[in-house]
Amino acid sequence: MISVVDTGFDGLKIIETNHFQDERGLFHKYFSKNEFAHLGLDIEFEESYYSINKKGVIRGMHFQIPPAAHTKLVYVTYGKIIDVCLDIRKNSVTYGKYFSIELSGNIGRCIYIPKGFAHGFVSLKDRTCVHYMQTSCYSKEYDCGIRYDSFGYDWNVQNPVLSYRDEQHPKFMNFTTPF
């Protein structure tokens, strides 16, 4: 059975999943429509994808703005990351604050990220495989980001590997939120 752990951020949840291990290896069930619905979580995922990352890669901080905003479910099947979520909902008591958690392929845990959060992570191992499920499809028109080093989080990486796109995102102090 899936269980939910509150993070102190409205809607942002840690999902402890079904995790089985025996002589064959590991088995994780990260999503169950029935269990998510029973817990009051969004079940209308429209897109799923994954990235494979080198150690020291930072991806983020990404989100989509309305009307293409989405809830995300993020989990790791191999390797390890520190996942970071930044609240960008202007009327939230946690606006501008961040939450971070370690996710790995050895632990049956994922993060449920509601609309109004910017999301990113740093890969702690080579070949880390990060999976994402989203409640809306990617939209170039509504795709946005905030610069990873502009909101006070210490990524603890000497020479991060970043995409050109992520380096060009506006700083948090220059961002006007639509949420």
Side-chain angles (χ1 to χ4, degrees):
M1 178 120 192
I2 292 174
S3 64
V4 176
V5 178
D6 190 24
T7 63
F9 289 73
D10 186 34
L12 183 67
K13 307 289 184 191
I14 300 166
I15 310 293
E16 299 287 347
T17 66
N18 296 321
H19 175 109
F20 305 100
Q21 186 170 0
D22 62 19
E23 64 279 353
R24 298 169 296 168
L26 292 172
F27 178 83
H28 296 276
K29 178 165 75 171
Y30 286 101
F31 176 73
S32 166
K33 182 177 180 177
N34 291 340
E35 290 183 60
F36 270 53
H38 176 74
L39 293 168
L41 301 175
D42 200 335
I43 58 171
E44 299 301 321
F45 292 101
E46 294 185 12
E47 192 168 60
S48 178
Y49 52 96
Y50 68 92
S51 63
I52 297 175
N53 305 275
K54 297 177 180 178
K55 182 178 181 179
V57 165
I58 294 176
R59 293 186 188 256
M61 299 292 291
H62 304 145
F63 56 96
Q64 286 190 176
I65 59 173
H70 50 236
T71 295
K72 286 184 181 179
L73 182 67
V74 178
Y75 57 93
V76 173
T77 55
Y78 180 82
K80 187 185 325 184
I81 66 171
I82 299 296
D83 198 86
V84 181
C85 303
L86 173 66
D87 191 344
I88 56 174
R89 302 168 297 178
K90 62 185 163 211
N91 294 321
S92 171
V93 297
T94 53
Y95 172 77
K97 295 183 179 170
Y98 55 82
F99 176 83
S100 65
I101 187 170
E102 182 179 297
L103 301 176
S104 82
N106 296 327
I107 301 172
R109 177 188 299 152
C110 51
I111 187 92
Y112 178 88
I113 308 166
K115 297 171 185 172
F117 278 82
H119 171 255
F121 65 85
V122 58
S123 177
L124 302 178
K125 293 187 173 193
D126 281 333
R127 302 209 35 80
T128 293
C129 188
V130 181
H131 294 256
Y132 320 76
M133 293 173 66
Q134 297 181 166
T135 58
S136 69
C137 292
Y138 172 76
S139 169
K140 186 174 183 175
E141 180 180 359
Y142 298 106
D143 184 42
C144 290
I146 292 171
R147 191 166 159 90
Y148 78 100
D149 60 354
S150 69
F151 58 95
Y153 183 74
D154 180 3
W155 294 88
N156 200 25
V157 178
Q158 294 292 57
N159 297 305
V161 180
L162 301 156
S163 70
Y164 176 79
R165 174 181 161 254
D166 286 353
E167 289 181 310
Q168 304 308 306
H169 288 315
K171 292 183 177 182
F172 181 64
M173 63 187 262
N174 298 329
F175 173 72
T176 303
T177 186
F179 293 98

